[in-house]
């Protein structure tokens, strides 16, 4: 590219001037020369070339030293450059003072002033110090050194940097510098060297800051939610979460004052503990919804196996496996998220320690004030200590459970009829065929709830008329079940043993002993054959021996070849038909005492079987079309309206099956005792429902009912609302006493 810069006039006769001030004023040009970015070199290349030509004209030809030495003004390895303590050779023509150069290059200095601002402050300071150390008389040498540095920088510049196109762009005023490298601390690399990308948060600082605050806010909300969450679904209201948890105030105070390592350890431990408590709270929600009680951390783990079996029966093996995986994943997610949330809040507080301390003090003061004044928001107090109270409650329940185990073991050994001889038991029922039937989930709500009462009451009325027409009479009352929503075996064992079996530990204790059951009393007499019909039992059931049953027909022994109806392995009508075929319809030398469990009214109450003529039941294959035409469990179970409607229909079906069987296959010696084992879950019976279930005794021989006239029960199979309510465990002794049994002498 042609240069036309005119040569400045040389005046050798002028004495050397003190140029220290001029040198300092010329630092813009000097700083622009060694600019470290390749782009900065491009930006001043044209101007610098003009200055160099002017300087070269003033200096004249560079003198060469001895062979092998570099020209004056250049440096070689190991030599001290001129201007760093060495002086120019004597006899050299004196150069024009730097002031002339400065005058000729004012325009160039002005043009590169923007580029020189990008040079690091450290290098500018270093150059200024070097200039201050240079004697004033050596100013020309400094100019030569500067020129040499410029020449060296040009020589080190890659060819690509001297491309004419690049020069053209520079000359036209275009900035070709890379913003990511121009501010670097070291020399710029080759143009084709890859540039390391900046982090996302550096490129999007505002967005990163907003995301950070959002994560912190969510973490704080998650911690507060865990500290305030209730343990039953109906209590999830906005007012519950508009409170101040004292645990959060105390935790914040501890984390603020702790050093880094202990703080991290405490935060992780607190987060994991809060995650465990959250999981236990979720279990409480589920247990209260299905069983009407909280989760017992000592006894209820065994119920997960039953829950898995239930899922397998209702959703299939694949669905059950998927549900288990989802539950495990949920538990892990809760634990991890809660731990990370506490860590996040802890880190933010320590980075803003003063502000966090002030906020903690203010919130703590507010908690104390609300607690002292008893301030409330629609029920719960604003000053909350939910988690502390819940931990105390769990500890108390564990202690009570452990104490209860020993106390119940002693109670189970006490039995008023345990030592009564067989010939003194049930003397007033000799010769009668006695059936004890449990209808799954047949609770008080089926008769009294508006959503189900109309259909169920109509069925009970119609079946009571059918019984009366067939010569039967009935009396009914209420029993309070030991369980709710599920765990039917607890209700069965409570009714038959006369002991309050309200948890799995008590069930294991009583079934492992020899406490007399109602069915066992019939067996002890030797006057009855005792059998059990258990369509819900799908594997070996050793408890049959405890109940005193000569033979148990489980789902594998009833000969059913039809489809399952969700959890229920077979329709109730089929189970009763099989009982008739296998036991009741056969000739016997003894009357029959049978325990029958009817399962068609088990949740999820879809699909529901339909009554068919008894002679068409066969092996159950006839139910294929009925099952396919039924409703999908998922469409019913999660619909609050449909689930109540279908529940009521399932109770109607079970009652129809049982009463129709008695009317068709019963005799003058038939005595039927039937009842519900527990109320349905809360979504059907209601969150404040009682645990009462109806119980009825039906007999063809009116003298059987005369024995219980003093019980105050209602006539018919539908108990009146004012009928007596007893605990279920009291029935065994009342029944044994009413029908001629004598308590053992102590």
């Amino acid at each position: 590219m042609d240069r036309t810069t005119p040569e400045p006039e040389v005046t050798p006769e002028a004495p050397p001037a003190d140029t220290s001030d001029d040198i300092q004023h010329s630092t813009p040009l000097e700083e622009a020369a060694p600019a470290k970015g390749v782009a900065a070199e491009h930006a001043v290349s044209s101007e610098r070339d003009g200055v160099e030509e002017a300087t070269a004209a003033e200096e004249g030809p560079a003198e060469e030293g001895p062979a092998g030495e570099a020209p004056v003004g250049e440096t070689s390895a190991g030599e001290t450059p001129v201007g760093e303590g060495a002086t120019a050779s004597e006899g050299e023509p004196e150069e024009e003072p730097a002031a002339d150069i400065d005058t000729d290059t004012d325009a160039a200095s002005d043009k590169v002033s923007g580029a020189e601002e990008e040079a690091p402050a450290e290098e500018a300071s270093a150059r200024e110090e070097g200039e201050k150390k240079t004697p004033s008389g050596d100013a020309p040498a400094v100019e030569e050194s500067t020129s040499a540095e410029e020449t060296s920088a040009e020589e080190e510049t890659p060819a690509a940097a001297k491309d004419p196109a690049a020069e053209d762009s520079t000359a036209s005023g275009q900035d070709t510098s890379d913003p990511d490298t121009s501010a670097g601390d070291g020399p710029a690399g080759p143009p084709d060297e890859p540039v390391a990308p900046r982090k996302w948060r550096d490129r999007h600082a505002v967005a990163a800051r907003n995301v950070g605050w959002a994560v912190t806010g969510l973490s704080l909300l998650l911690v507060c939610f865990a500290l305030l969450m209730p343990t039953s679904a109906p209590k999830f209201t906005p007012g519950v979460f508009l409170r101040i948890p004292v645990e959060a105030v105390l935790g914040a105070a501890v984390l603020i004052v702790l050093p880094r390592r202990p703080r991290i350890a405490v935060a992780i431990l607190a987060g994991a503990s809060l995650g465990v408590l959250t999981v236990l709270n979720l279990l409480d929600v589920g247990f209260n919804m299905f069983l009407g009680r909280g989760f017992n951390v000592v006894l209820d783990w065994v119920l997960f196996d039953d829950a898995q079996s239930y899922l397998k029966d209702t959703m299939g093996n694949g669905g059950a496996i998927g549900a288990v995986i989802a539950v495990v994943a949920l538990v892990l997610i809760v634990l991890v998220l809660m731990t990370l949330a506490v860590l996040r809040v802890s880190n933010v507080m320590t980075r803003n320690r003063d502000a966090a301390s002030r906020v903690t003090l203010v919130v703590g003061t507010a908690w104390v004030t609300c607690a002292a004044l008893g301030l409330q928001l629609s029920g719960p107090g604003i000053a909350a200590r939910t988690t502390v109270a819940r931990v105390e409650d769990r500890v108390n329940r564990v202690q009570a459970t452990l104490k209860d185990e020993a106390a119940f073991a002693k109670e189970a050994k006490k039995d008023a009829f345990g030592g009564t001889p067989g010939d003194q038991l049930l003397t007033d029922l000799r010769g009668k065929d006695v059936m004890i039937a449990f209808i799954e989930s047949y609770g008080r709500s089926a008769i009294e709830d508006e959503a189900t009462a109309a259909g169920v009451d109509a069925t009970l009325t119609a079946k009571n008329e059918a019984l009366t027409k067939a010569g039967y009479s009935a009396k009914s009352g209420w029993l309070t079940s030991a369980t709710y929503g599920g765990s039917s075996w607890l209700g069965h064992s409570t009714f038959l043993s006369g002991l309050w079996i309200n948890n799995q530990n008590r069930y294991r204790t009583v079934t492992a002993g020899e406490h007399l059951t109602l069915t066992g009393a019939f067996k002890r007499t030797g006057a009855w054959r005792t059998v059990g019909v258990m369509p819900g039992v799908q594997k070996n059931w050793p408890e049959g021996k405890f109940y005193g049953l000569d033979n148990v027909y489980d789902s594998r022994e009833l000969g059913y070849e039809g489809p399952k109806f969700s959890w229920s392995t077979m329709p109730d009508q089929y189970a009763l038909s099989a009982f008739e075929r296998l036991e009741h319809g056969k000739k016997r030398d003894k009357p029959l005492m049978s325990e029958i469990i009817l399962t068609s009214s088990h949740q999820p109450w879809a699909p529901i079987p339909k009554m068919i003529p008894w002679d068409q039941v066969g092996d159950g294959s006839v139910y294929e079309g009925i099952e396919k035409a039924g409703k999908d469990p998922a469409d019913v179970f999660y619909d609050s309206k449909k689930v109540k409607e279908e529940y009521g229909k399932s109770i109607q079906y079970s009652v129809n099956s049982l009463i129709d069987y008695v009317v068709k296959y019963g005799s003058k010696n038939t005595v039927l005792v039937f009842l519900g084992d527990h109320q349905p879950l809360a979504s059907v019976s209601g969150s404040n429902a009682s645990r009462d279930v109806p119980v009825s005794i039906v007999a063809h021989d009116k003298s059987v009912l005369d024995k219980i006239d003093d019980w105050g029960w209602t006539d018919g199979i539908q108990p009146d609302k004012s009928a007596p309510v007893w605990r279920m465990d009291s029935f065994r002794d009342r029944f044994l006493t009413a029908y001629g049994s004598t308590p053992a002498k102590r």
Side-chain angles (χ1 to χ4, degrees), residues 424-430 518 522 528 671 673 697-699 701-709 711 731 733-742:
Q424 298 179 21
L425 290 171
L426 301 165
T427 55
D428 294 338
L429 287 176
R430 299 297 171 93
L518 189 55
F522 281 95
W528 281 274
V671 175
V673 180
I697 297 180
V698 179
D701 184 352
K702 196 173 183 303
S703 64
V704 172
L705 297 180
D706 291 341
K707 299 288 185 180
I708 61 171
D709 272 344
W711 287 7
F731 183 85
D733 288 2
R734 289 177 179 270
F735 187 86
L736 289 175
T737 301
Y739 293 107
S741 303
T742 304

Side-chain angles (χ1 to χ4, degrees), residues 31-106:
E31 291 174 6
K36 297 191 176 179
V38 174
E41 178 68 17
H42 293 170
V44 299
S45 59
S46 299
E47 292 81 355
R48 187 176 57 209
D49 290 343
V51 175
E52 288 173 354
E53 291 174 7
T55 304
E58 291 178 304
E59 292 177 353
E63 291 191 15
E64 296 183 358
E69 294 181 358
V72 176
E74 297 182 5
T75 60
S76 60
E79 293 182 349
T80 304
V82 176
E84 294 292 337
T87 60
S89 301
E90 294 182 12
E92 289 182 350
E94 295 180 353
E95 296 178 347
E96 191 71 14
D100 293 337
I101 300 175
D102 189 20
T103 303
D104 293 336
T105 58
D106 282 343

